Amino acid sequence: MTKTAAVLDSNTIIESLRDAGYRVTAPRQAIVEALTGFERAFSADDLLQHLSASDPTVGRATVFRTLDMLVSLGLLDRLHAADGCHSYVLAHSQSRHYHHLICNSCGVVVPFESCNIEALYPAVSEETDFQVSGHMLELFGLCGSCRA
Amino acid sequence: MTKTAAVLDSNTIIESLRDAGYRVTAPRQAIVEALTGFERAFSADDLLQHLSASDPTVGRATVFRTLDMLVSLGLLDRLHAADGCHSYVLAHSQSRHYHHLICNSCGVVVPFESCNIEALYPAVSEETDFQVSGHMLELFGLCGSCRA
DNA sequence: ATCCCTGCAAAGGCTTTGCATGCCA
DNA sequence: TGGCATGCAAAGCCTTTGCAGGGAT
């Protein structure tokens, strides 16, 4: 149990990449390093700008390709906020079920695990004649700091 | 109680437009007529293509402007599906709380009202120290026809 | 008669693609 | 060495904006 339990760090991500058969290259390492530094959701462009100041020059295309790759490996989550639909956050866990809670004021994103949406399935099934198999949920609110 | 209860029809939408102070123009009528014909979520482009065959020529800009207007009036819902983030469905109700259930197979969208997400708020608040104030939920599954 | 609304076309973002070169394994 | 990965630039979408003319009220 480390200080920030269950949050992926750059080494773990790089290892996952390698395990999945992808090559560990300098641009990919720079991208992974950068995205573990974000505390809130970031866009491809945020990442691009952040990287423009870093060691290796990373091309636009590489950023998009790497983001897609990380999402497909479950290492990165795509956020579907009300306004911007294309932002990303580091995945919280690859094994446990969780969702995101987003602060309306500062934009910080935290995961939460207490989700009993599946309890809704029977009622919804009955109401709609659907066989429900999945859900997408995001909560909004105010974080502790912003309330203060 | 009509056959398809609580679903907005084109006349109701047009009246709401008028009530909100917007002018009732031919392009707007054509757009409203077209979108009440869709059974599943549609994109701006779907609408545009559908309209290219209709009576008045409706410009791209007008379609986007009208969609935004209808969404802001609560007559149209923006859907945030996993893949495409920019599709629309006719609003189900302007007063009641509901969400969308989307068929993974045919894409049909139906609303459902049995949502007790708010019951989650206390547990999530305690877990995260957020003051939760809203949520976004979408369910996925198989509709009756697709199961058959 | 007002001035909101429209179409057109151009501009603007964001994302993807093609291709020759580079570099990890 | 082989072939995945990269950068660059161009192309591709999708959406918005500017503007002069048109139509609803």
Side-chain angles (χ1 to χ4, degrees), chain A residues 142-148, chain B residues 128-131:
Chain A
L142 276 181
C143 72
S145 326
C146 286
R147 269 208 318 286
Chain B
T128 62
D129 190 34
F130 264 62
Q131 176 184 317

Side-chain angles (χ1 to χ4, degrees), chain B residues 9-11 13-14 27-38 47 50-51:
Chain B
D9 60 41
S10 49
N11 289 333
I13 296 175
I14 292 296
R28 283 176 180 169
Q29 283 175 304
I31 289 171
V32 167
E33 200 56 49
L35 61 83
T36 54
F38 285 104
L47 196 49
H50 186 91
L51 286 170

Side-chain angles (χ1 to χ4, degrees), chain A residues 1-64:
Chain A
M1 206 69 159
T2 60
K3 194 178 56 181
T4 49
V7 173
L8 296 169
D9 60 41
S10 50
N11 288 334
T12 311
I13 297 175
I14 293 295
E15 282 318 303
S16 302
L17 276 196
R18 204 193 306 277
D19 290 351
Y22 291 102
R23 292 185 182 171
V24 176
T25 65
R28 284 177 179 168
Q29 283 176 303
I31 290 171
V32 167
E33 200 56 50
L35 60 82
T36 54
F38 285 105
E39 193 187 32
R40 56 204 64 184
F42 56 89
S43 64
D45 196 61
D46 292 335
L47 196 50
L48 213 35
Q49 289 191 1
H50 187 91
L51 286 169
S52 70
S54 74
D55 296 328
T57 11
V58 181
R60 213 181 311 279
T62 302
V63 166
F64 282 101

Side-chain angles (χ1 to χ4, degrees), chain B residues 10-33:
Chain B
S10 49
N11 289 333
T12 311
I13 296 175
I14 292 296
E15 282 318 303
S16 303
L17 275 197
R18 203 192 306 277
D19 291 351
Y22 291 102
R23 293 186 181 169
V24 175
T25 64
R28 283 176 180 169
Q29 283 175 304
I31 289 171
V32 167
E33 200 56 49

Side-chain angles (χ1 to χ4, degrees), chain B residues 23 25 28 57-59 61-62 65:
Chain B
R23 293 186 181 169
T25 64
R28 283 176 180 169
T57 12
V58 181
T62 302
R65 287 189 276 234

